[in-house]
Amino acid sequence: MGKERIFELIRKEEVVLFVGAGMSMYAGYPSGAVLSKIFYNNLSKDQKSDIEFTADLPRLANDIYYLNGGNKNYLFQILKREFQRDPISTETHKLLAKIPHFKTIITTNYDTLIESFNKNVEVIRRSKDYPLANSKKQLLFKIHGDLSDPERIILTNSDYNNYFSSAQEDTVFWNAVKDKLASNHVLFIGYSMEDSNIQVMLDKIVKQLGENRKEMFFIAPRVSAPKQKYLQRNNITVLRGTGEEFIKECFEDLKLNYFPNLDKGHGTADTALNFANSNLFHLEISKKNKSVIINNVKSLDGDNSYKINFKIHLPNEKRDNVLNSLHGKDFNDILLEGDALGEFNYIVKDFRIKNYDDIKNLLIKKLPSYSGLVDIVFDDGFEVDNYKIELYRADPSDFEHHLKIVVKGFEIIIKFKTSGDYTQLDINIAPEKNIKSCNQGILFYEILTRIVAEKKFKAFENNKLIYTYLFDKKFEEDALSAKQLKEYFLKLKKIEKHFDVRFSKIDLREPKENFVETIIAYIDKIQLKRQFNEFKFKIVNKDKLDYLTKNNGEGKLLVMSGKYPPIDLHGLQFDIGYLHKMLKDGYIANIEELKANKTTEIKVKSRTNTVYHQFTDGESIISQG
C-alpha cells in the first residue's frame, strides 16, 4: 500500500526527492561509514594513535580537522579523490534524469551525478543561486555543498552545528528548502538510519514543519527496530528496498500510469512534454478545463511503432470464433462488445499513453497480406492501370485454403479444397452494398468476363511483373454472371448519359433488371414484349360496340394508356412519361355474345398471349389497326 501511495503522489508531481549517499554507492562512491574508514586509513601511524576511529563521519572528520590544526585540506583531498573518479555505473542516475516529476530534489551528496546526467536541472548551492534559477526546470538543492566550492561543504560536527544555527535557517537558501518541504510530500532515499546525521536532519525537518506537514516516506533495505519505532512515531512511512530498485519501479509505474491520468487532472503539461522528450518521443498537448489531452504522438528516434494492448473475457460459445479469427482460420473481423472488453491500452515505445475504460465495443479488422496498385494486361490487348488490390489469406485446415481479393466495390473469395491429387475450386463474388460508380462495375466485369473466357493476363507493380495467370479452370459460358452484370452496368451508364445523372449507390444484392430494361425502352423508344392473358371492360355506347366488332374484333388494339409512376433505381428517380399497352394480334374473345346483345362486357385476348409496352413523353400514341 505504501508504494502504491508514493507512486500516486509522484505521478501527481507532489513529491520532493531527498537523496543520500546510498544512491551513489552503486556508482562506486563511498557511503558515510565507508568514507570514515577511508579518512582514518589514510592517516599516518602517529595520527591514528591520536584519534579513535568511529563510523560517525561528522565526528571523525571533526577530530581530523582539529588534529590538523583547524585545516580541512586533508579532508578535501580525500573527498576530491573519492568523488571525482569516473563512476562504475550510472544507470540509476540516467534513469532518474528521465523522471521530471520530482520538481525539487534535495541532496546531501558531494558528487555531481544528478546534474551530470540531467540537463533539465538547476543546481542551487547558496542563497544567491535561488533567484536566478529557472522555475520551469527541476531544482536541485545541494544542502551540504559539493566540490565546486569546498569551503562551503558540510562535513564536520562544527559544520553541522553552524549549518543548523538560527542565523543559517533564516537565509534565502534554507527558507526555500523549507518551503519545498512544507508544500510537498517528502521521499528520503539513499539514507541509512544508522548514520548519526540523518536522525538529526529528520528531527530538524519534523520540528520545522510541525504537525501539519504532508506525508513522508523513507526507503531503506533494512531498519533496526528502535529506528523503525522512531520513524513510526514521527509518522514517516518505511518502504523496504534499495534506491536503485525504487527508481526502476518508479519509472515503470510512470511509463504505465502517468500519461493516462493526465486527463483526470493529475500532472502538468510541462512535465508531460519533458517526460516524453527525455524518453525520445514527441507529443502535442491541449487543455480542456483542468484536464490535459494528448495528441499526435511521434517517436524522436524513428521508431514509430505502437501497440494496442487489451484483455478480453469471452463466454465459451464465442471463444472459438474469436480464436479462429486471431489464428488466421477465417477472414472475419472481430467485434468485441460490452463485458467482453477488459483493460484497453494504447502504448508507444513501452509508454502507456492512454487506457480506455469507456469503450462500448471494439472492432479488430484484418490487415491484407498484400495491398498495392497494379497494372493488369490481357493477351487480347485490354489493359487496366493502377488498379487497387488487397489480398487476404485464411487457412481453415491443412487441406483447405481461402483467398480473398478486394478491389473497388467488390470482394472475391476463392476456396481451394485439396483431396489427394484433386483440388476443388469454389469462387464467390460479393459486391459492396453501395458500389460508388458505374465505372467501378464496368471495369470489374470487363476484367471478370475475360478471366471466365480464359483470357490470359499478367499483373505488374511499379513496372515489375508480379503475377502471371496460370489457372486452367474451364468456366461455363456466363460463369459468375460476368457477361450479364457487365451489360447491366453498361445500361446504367447509358441511363446516366441520357438523364445527366450519376449513380453512387448501386446495390447489386438486389439488381433491378426489369427497371433498367423499362428505362432503356423509354430511351431507345422501343417496345417491350410482356405476357398477356386477358383484358376485360364494359361498353355502354352502341356506336363503339359496332366499331369494336368490325372485322370480327380482330386487329391491333390499344388496350390501356396512362401516366407511368416514377421509377426508383439505385437511389435515383426517373420519369419515363406515359405507358401504352398494345396488342398486335388482339381479338375479342366473346364477340358472338356481344353481337347477340347477351353481354356488355368485352374480353380482349392475344393470339400469342403477348402485349407490347411503349413509353412516350406525350399522352397519345398513333396506332394503326
Side-chain angles (χ1 to χ4, degrees):
M1 182 65 185
K3 277 192 180 178
E4 292 176 7
R5 174 60 176 162
I6 187 63
F7 287 156
E8 176 189 358
L9 296 173
I10 293 170
R11 292 196 297 271
K12 291 181 178 180
E13 306 169 29
E14 297 176 0
V15 175
V16 165
L17 182 63
F18 217 119
V19 179
M23 269 284 285
S24 300
M25 286 172 58
Y26 81 101
Y29 295 158
S31 64
V34 171
L35 189 57
S36 293
K37 290 181 181 180
I38 294 172
F39 278 144
Y40 186 79
N41 290 338
N42 280 273
L43 293 172
S44 68
K45 196 179 274 191
D46 291 341
Q47 288 174 318
K48 288 180 182 178
S49 63
D50 291 334
I51 294 178
E52 182 181 353
F53 173 76
T54 174
D56 185 337
L57 178 61
R59 179 181 157 191
L60 178 65
N62 212 65
D63 289 344
I64 294 174
Y65 169 69
Y66 284 120
L67 181 65
N68 288 327
N71 190 309
K72 292 183 179 178
N73 287 342
Y74 169 80
L75 297 173
F76 292 154
Q77 287 172 1
I78 299 293
L79 290 179
K80 285 184 177 181
R81 188 187 74 191
E82 294 299 321
F83 290 105
Q84 289 183 344
R85 289 185 290 107
D86 289 338
I88 296 172
S89 173
T90 57
E91 292 306 312
T92 298
H93 283 83
K94 286 178 180 177
L95 202 56
L96 180 59
K98 295 181 179 181
I99 303 176
H101 308 75
F102 298 114
K103 297 299 185 66
T104 300
I105 302 174
I106 300 171
T107 184
T108 54
N109 293 350
Y110 305 124
D111 62 69
T112 59
L113 286 174
I114 294 175
E115 58 267 39
S116 294
F117 295 99
N118 190 344
K119 304 307 178 186
N120 192 48
V121 74
E122 285 273 4
V123 181
I124 302 171
R125 300 179 180 89
R126 55 187 70 83
S127 292
K128 68 179 183 179
D129 295 334
Y130 187 62
L132 302 176
N134 184 346
S135 60
K136 290 187 177 181
K137 291 189 173 185
Q138 291 174 277
L139 301 181
L140 174 62
F141 289 88
K142 306 198 82 169
I143 62 174
H144 284 180
D146 63 18
L147 293 170
S148 67
D149 187 2
E151 295 300 326
R152 301 182 66 85
I153 284 179
I154 309 299
L155 179 59
T156 67
N157 272 342
S158 300
D159 295 331
Y160 278 97
N161 291 335
N162 292 331
Y163 179 73
F164 287 119
S165 67
S166 297
Q168 178 74 5
E169 289 175 2
D170 289 333
T171 63
V172 171
F173 180 87
W174 185 246
N175 281 329
V177 171
K178 286 192 294 185
D179 177 64
K180 300 299 181 184
L181 293 172
S183 57
N184 292 278
H185 307 276
V186 184
L187 171 63
F188 293 93
I189 191 168
Y191 289 101
S192 169
M193 282 304 296
E194 309 312 313
D195 293 339
S196 61
N197 62 330
I198 183 61
Q199 189 161 333
V200 173
M201 188 167 60
L202 286 173
D203 285 340
K204 197 73 175 177
I205 291 171
V206 170
K207 181 180 178 182
Q208 286 284 341
L209 300 181
E211 294 181 357
N212 295 325
R213 62 180 168 80
K214 295 194 174 184
E215 295 174 69
M216 287 186 174
F217 300 84
F218 191 92
I219 300 228
R222 55 194 161 274
V223 178
S224 65
K227 300 297 183 183
Q228 183 152 338
K229 292 289 185 183
Y230 162 82
L231 293 169
Q232 291 173 345
R233 188 169 63 251
N234 287 282
N235 292 321
I236 299 174
T237 302
V238 179
L239 303 175
R240 301 293 186 187
T242 65
E244 303 93 89
E245 292 169 346
F246 181 84
I247 293 299
K248 288 178 183 177
E249 292 176 18
C250 176
F251 185 66
E252 290 301 317
D253 176 80
L254 290 169
K255 283 169 64 176
L256 288 176
N257 300 314
Y258 178 67
F259 289 117
N261 283 292
L262 282 174
D263 60 2
K264 299 175 183 175
H266 300 169
T268 61
D270 285 342
T271 300
L273 292 171
N274 287 335
F275 190 40
N277 288 333
S278 64
N279 289 283
L280 298 179
F281 63 92
H282 166 82
L283 47 82
E284 293 178 1
I285 296 287
S286 59
K287 289 187 177 181
K288 185 178 180 181
N289 299 324
K290 293 183 179 181
S291 299
V292 176
I293 309 300
I294 297 175
N295 298 296
N296 197 21
V297 182
K298 292 182 180 179
S299 170
L300 296 176
D301 60 3
D303 177 14
N304 283 306
S305 60
Y306 65 90
K307 292 188 293 185
I308 301 296
N309 186 314
F310 60 91
K311 295 180 180 179
I312 56 177
H313 311 286
L314 293 172
N316 290 333
E317 62 270 17
K318 293 184 178 180
R319 187 172 300 150
D320 287 344
N321 291 336
V322 171
L323 290 177
N324 284 342
S325 183
L326 288 174
H327 293 154
K329 293 188 175 184
D330 58 41
F331 301 119
N332 299 335
D333 297 329
I334 302 171
L335 179 63
L336 301 172
E337 300 178 286
D339 295 339
L341 278 173
E343 182 178 311
F344 187 92
N345 303 306
Y346 169 51
I347 298 171
V348 176
K349 292 174 68 71
D350 292 330
F351 287 76
R352 181 162 57 183
I353 303 300
K354 183 74 177 174
N355 60 338
Y356 299 88
D357 53 10
D358 56 352
I359 296 178
K360 300 294 187 295
N361 54 64
L362 173 66
L363 178 65
I364 304 173
K365 294 190 70 65
K366 292 291 184 69
L367 293 176
S369 57
Y370 169 82
S371 177
L373 297 173
V374 300
D375 300 332
I376 303 173
V377 180
F378 283 87
D379 287 351
D380 65 357
F382 180 76
E383 295 186 11
V384 179
D385 295 334
N386 293 323
Y387 201 47
K388 177 67 179 295
I389 292 180
E390 293 180 348
L391 299 180
Y392 299 80
R393 180 186 173 100
D395 299 300
S397 71
D398 293 339
F399 306 102
E400 185 172 356
H401 308 285
H402 297 174
L403 182 66
K404 180 167 73 173
I405 306 171
V406 178
V407 296
K408 285 185 178 180
F410 297 88
E411 182 178 280
I412 308 160
I413 296 180
I414 306 173
K415 297 180 179 179
F416 303 87
K417 295 181 181 179
T418 304
S419 178
D421 295 332
Y422 175 72
T423 299
Q424 178 184 343
L425 183 65
D426 180 43
I427 302 175
N428 181 58
I429 297 175
E432 286 183 0
K433 179 179 180 181
N434 289 320
I435 299 171
K436 294 181 174 55
S437 75
C438 286
N439 288 337
Q440 281 187 11
I442 291 171
L443 184 57
F444 176 79
Y445 284 108
E446 285 280 12
I447 295 171
L448 189 62
T449 52
R450 283 171 167 79
I451 292 174
V452 299
E454 300 174 43
K455 304 290 185 184
K456 304 301 181 184
F457 68 87
K458 295 179 180 179
F460 298 82
E461 183 182 41
N462 297 324
N463 299 321
K464 293 182 180 179
L465 180 65
I466 60 171
Y467 177 75
T468 300
Y469 179 83
L470 296 175
F471 288 126
D472 58 356
K473 177 176 175 59
K474 302 296 182 182
F475 292 95
E476 297 176 1
E477 183 178 354
D478 192 18
L480 309 172
S481 302
K483 292 181 181 179
Q484 174 191 346
L485 289 169
K486 175 184 171 183
E487 290 298 320
Y488 184 79
F489 277 99
L490 289 171
K491 289 175 181 177
L492 291 181
K493 191 72 175 176
K494 186 173 185 176
I495 293 171
E496 285 184 336
K497 183 177 181 180
H498 182 85
F499 286 95
D500 285 330
V501 296
R502 301 285 284 180
F503 289 106
S504 61
K505 298 178 180 179
I506 305 170
D507 188 354
L508 282 191
R509 296 174 306 169
E510 297 181 4
K512 300 179 178 180
E513 289 94 341
N514 287 340
F515 287 171
V516 169
E517 186 181 22
T518 299
I519 297 172
I520 292 295
Y522 164 76
I523 294 171
D524 291 343
K525 296 182 171 44
I526 60 175
Q527 296 177 347
L528 296 176
K529 292 175 63 173
R530 295 287 184 261
Q531 181 73 26
F532 181 77
N533 293 319
E534 181 180 81
F535 179 69
K536 296 179 181 180
F537 63 94
K538 287 190 175 182
I539 188 76
V540 294
N541 189 309
K542 186 71 169 63
D543 293 336
K544 287 187 177 181
L545 177 61
D546 292 340
Y547 173 78
L548 290 170
T549 56
K550 182 181 178 182
N551 298 324
N552 289 323
E554 296 202 24
K556 184 182 289 187
L557 299 174
L558 177 66
V559 296
M560 183 179 292
S561 293
K563 180 71 175 176
Y564 200 76
I567 295 177
D568 287 318
L569 179 62
H570 299 310
L572 298 177
Q573 273 199 345
F574 297 91
D575 185 353
I576 58 173
Y578 294 83
L579 167 64
H580 310 280
K581 296 182 179 181
M582 295 177 293
L583 298 177
K584 294 184 178 182
D585 55 357
Y587 69 96
I588 298 173
N590 61 340
I591 191 169
E592 297 301 328
E593 293 179 359
L594 287 169
K595 287 180 177 180
N597 293 322
K598 293 182 179 180
T599 182
T600 57
E601 182 181 67
I602 298 176
K603 296 180 181 180
V604 179
K605 291 189 176 184
S606 163
R607 298 202 179 276
T608 57
N609 295 324
T610 302
V611 66
Y612 292 85
H613 290 186
Q614 187 167 344
F615 300 89
T616 63
D617 292 321
E619 294 186 43
S620 63
I621 185 172
I622 299 174
S623 176
Q624 296 179 351

